[in-house]
Amino acid sequence: MTAVADTSIQALLGEMVQIVGEANVLTDPDLTGGYRRDMQPLAEAGTPLAVVRPATTAEVAAIVKACAKAGIPLVPRGAGSGLTGASNAVDGAVTISFTRMNGKPRIDRETRLAVVQPGVTTLELKQAAEEQGLFYAPDPTSNAWCTIGGNLANASGGPCASKYGVTADRVRGLEVVLASGEVLRTGSTTLKNVSGYDLNRLFVGSEGTLGLITEATLALQAKPPAPRTAVAAFPTTEAAGRSVTEFLATGHLLSLLEIMDGPCIRAVETYLGSPILGDDVPSPGAVLFAQSDTGQVLELEAFEELCAGNGAVFTYATDYPSEGELLLQYWHSLEPALEAMGTWILHEVTVLPRHVSTLIDKAAGIAEDTGLFIGVHGHAADGTLHPMIVFTPGHEDELCRARQAYGLVLQAAVELGGPVSGEHGIGRIKAAHLGEEIGETGLAVHRAIKKALDPQRILNPGSMFQPAS
């Protein structure tokens, strides 16, 4: 680094201190190291120049203006719960952490709207809505610690998406700091608004490549009744998959319909020390977990009957929430069960529900070919599946095979007609694959939008798609 460049960087860091205070500009590698990557171990990660933690929109705007003037890139970051490397650090860039922008959500019961800062966790918003007798529907599995800003950046989904939609479906308006440092407000508080382009949809899911979201107005709804829960176990994934598609064809709508394959079930049984079907009974080939929050019994009665007709070896339903939580313990325990086995990689692919069992079978074949554990669980009602790849920490050959398995699973999903991402975004790990889905014309449109809003390419470079060479 030249003396001039070093002086320029020191001047920029000094300006950051003036904006947010010395305690909120981190440059010590021991501190910034924790901001290098998200939960995806396969994605590339650099070393940040600094980590800056603003508390207001005005501070974010000032940071962006300073970095734009200095030509220094910015990487936005929430809680780091992402799974595509979208918030991974870039060498020499400033990572901007939104965790201090976490004021209590402002709830309007009359309009059923919540105004939320990006550092608020999804669970905090859900609890704030519940205190007012309302319900925030999007339900990422990591809701206890993932943030609304990250949900917006990645257009997150979750188990309840087939009934209630994804994060983007709840957005009425946004406050966004553009690459110029200007502040843009999009949308409105009204239900209907077709004035101009739908800028809400443009920024939600853009992974901070077009602007930095500093506030969101989100739609709430009346709190539904406590859910009823059911479980059905099958000898094969094909029987479970057939049950899913046939149930969806009935027109009944569940608030949750999850699938776990045999390898996942056996991993959880080992972890809990409790076979799901009891002692001396073989583990099933697949299990479906279902919930209905309509207050009616019809949905789960139809679910049980249909599953039994498709050869389920076990079905059970309960009206009691506490008992339902016990049934779902096998689902909730999957990640700690895999963590006990090694380093786990959560993949995300989406196919049509009728292809769910096919994708699971293809993943089993990839596991056999690569010699790695791959178990699949996911949201059966919308076809979003999470193949879980496990490898031994520090084992370079297994890491190489894990990368291979990740690519082969993605290829299998694309061959079945699925997108390269359904709910976790593109980030850095899938950026090279986006063009395979949207084509050169689609990439050209993406690049044109990026150039129009971020001509210096300072916002989250390398995430979402690769720039034209």
Side-chain angles (χ1 to χ4, degrees):
M1 181 180 295
T2 66
V4 173
D6 185 62
T7 300
S8 176
I9 287 174
Q10 291 305 313
L12 174 64
L13 294 177
E15 191 169 354
M16 297 292 156
V17 169
Q18 291 296 313
I19 296 168
V20 299
E22 187 174 0
N24 294 304
V25 179
L26 311 180
T27 57
D28 185 337
D30 289 339
L31 297 176
T32 61
Y35 294 83
R36 290 190 64 239
R37 59 169 59 255
D38 64 11
M39 295 293 290
Q40 176 52 258
L42 297 182
E44 294 183 358
T47 300
L49 170 67
V51 175
V52 183
R53 303 183 298 189
T56 67
T57 298
E59 289 180 355
V60 175
I63 291 166
V64 172
K65 286 179 182 178
C67 287
K69 182 179 179 181
I72 298 295
L74 280 158
V75 175
R77 180 182 176 88
S81 64
L83 291 155
T84 63
S87 65
N88 282 12
V90 172
D91 287 336
V94 169
T95 290
I96 181 166
S97 168
F98 287 91
T99 52
R100 291 181 66 226
M101 298 184 71
N102 61 352
K104 185 175 176 61
R106 305 195 301 275
I107 308 292
D108 187 325
R109 291 185 64 185
E110 180 183 351
T111 60
R112 294 184 178 178
L113 295 176
V115 179
V116 191
Q117 288 187 301
V120 173
T121 67
T122 311
L123 182 60
E124 287 170 339
L125 173 56
K126 283 180 167 293
Q127 291 172 337
E130 189 171 347
E131 290 172 3
Q132 301 293 326
L134 299 173
F135 176 60
Y136 179 66
D139 191 33
T141 306
S142 59
N143 66 45
W145 66 294
C146 67
T147 60
I148 292 297
N151 292 175
L152 293 165
N154 293 298
S156 300
C160 300
S162 63
K163 180 171 183 177
Y164 291 114
V166 295
T167 300
D169 298 312
R170 297 288 152 172
V171 177
R172 291 282 185 83
L174 300 170
E175 181 180 76
V176 185
V177 175
L178 301 176
S180 62
E182 297 171 287
V183 179
L184 169 71
R185 284 193 170 273
T186 69
S188 71
T189 56
T190 58
L191 177 63
K192 296 178 180 178
N193 176 13
V194 291
S195 302
Y197 299 125
D198 188 348
L199 297 182
N200 289 339
R201 291 276 180 173
L202 177 64
F203 286 102
V204 174
S206 66
E207 300 178 4
T209 61
L210 303 178
L212 307 182
I213 297 171
T214 55
E215 186 179 273
T217 301
L218 305 173
L220 309 175
Q221 65 187 73
K223 183 181 176 182
R228 291 174 163 85
T229 305
V231 62
F234 299 84
T236 64
T237 55
E238 191 278 332
R242 185 171 65 251
S243 298
V244 170
T245 55
E246 290 183 4
F247 180 80
L248 294 176
T250 67
H252 289 299
L253 195 58
L254 296 172
S255 56
L256 178 146
L257 182 55
E258 295 291 296
I259 190 168
M260 284 178 63
D261 70 355
C264 284
I265 295 162
R266 290 188 288 276
V268 174
E269 288 177 330
T270 299
Y271 175 74
L272 295 177
S274 174
I276 192 169
L277 298 182
D279 296 330
D280 302 322
V281 179
S283 294
V287 173
L288 296 178
F289 299 93
Q291 284 191 326
S292 170
D293 61 2
T294 64
Q296 306 292 322
V297 299
L298 297 176
E299 293 89 357
L300 292 189
E301 285 181 345
F303 174 78
E304 281 194 281
E305 181 179 350
L306 193 147
C307 290
N310 277 314
V313 297
F314 175 79
T315 65
Y316 182 76
T318 178
D319 295 341
Y320 299 102
S322 58
E323 190 176 18
E325 282 303 307
L326 287 175
L327 293 177
L328 291 176
Q329 184 181 16
Y330 285 87
W331 176 45
H332 291 308
S333 297
L334 178 58
E335 288 185 4
L338 298 182
E339 189 171 344
M341 297 171 58
T343 297
W344 56 267
I345 300 164
L346 192 151
H347 204 333
E348 179 263 311
V349 293
T350 299
V351 296
L352 288 172
R354 66 170 174 261
H355 294 317
V356 162
S357 62
T358 302
L359 193 283
I360 292 175
D361 290 342
K362 286 181 177 292
I366 293 168
E368 185 175 349
D369 292 342
T370 58
L372 296 174
F373 174 97
I374 303 178
V376 183
H377 76 103
H379 319 319
D382 61 30
T384 298
L385 298 174
H386 300 305
M388 309 290 282
I389 305 168
V390 180
F391 67 95
T392 304
H395 197 295
E396 193 62 33
D397 177 62
E398 286 193 16
L399 175 60
C400 182
R401 283 184 277 143
R403 293 183 186 278
Q404 179 190 10
Y406 191 98
L408 290 172
V409 170
L410 183 60
Q411 179 183 337
V414 171
E415 289 173 352
L416 290 170
V420 294
S421 180
E423 65 177 7
H424 286 175
I426 300 296
R428 287 168 174 75
I429 197 166
K430 294 183 180 181
H433 298 279
L434 182 61
E436 300 169 10
E437 179 186 340
I438 66 175
E440 281 303 316
T441 301
L443 278 177
V445 171
H446 276 65
R447 288 168 178 149
I449 295 171
K450 172 72 170 174
K451 184 177 181 180
L453 291 176
D454 181 18
Q456 288 183 267
R457 294 179 180 173
I458 66 167
L459 296 182
N460 212 4
S463 191
M464 180 68 74
F465 61 94
Q466 304 293 341
S469 57

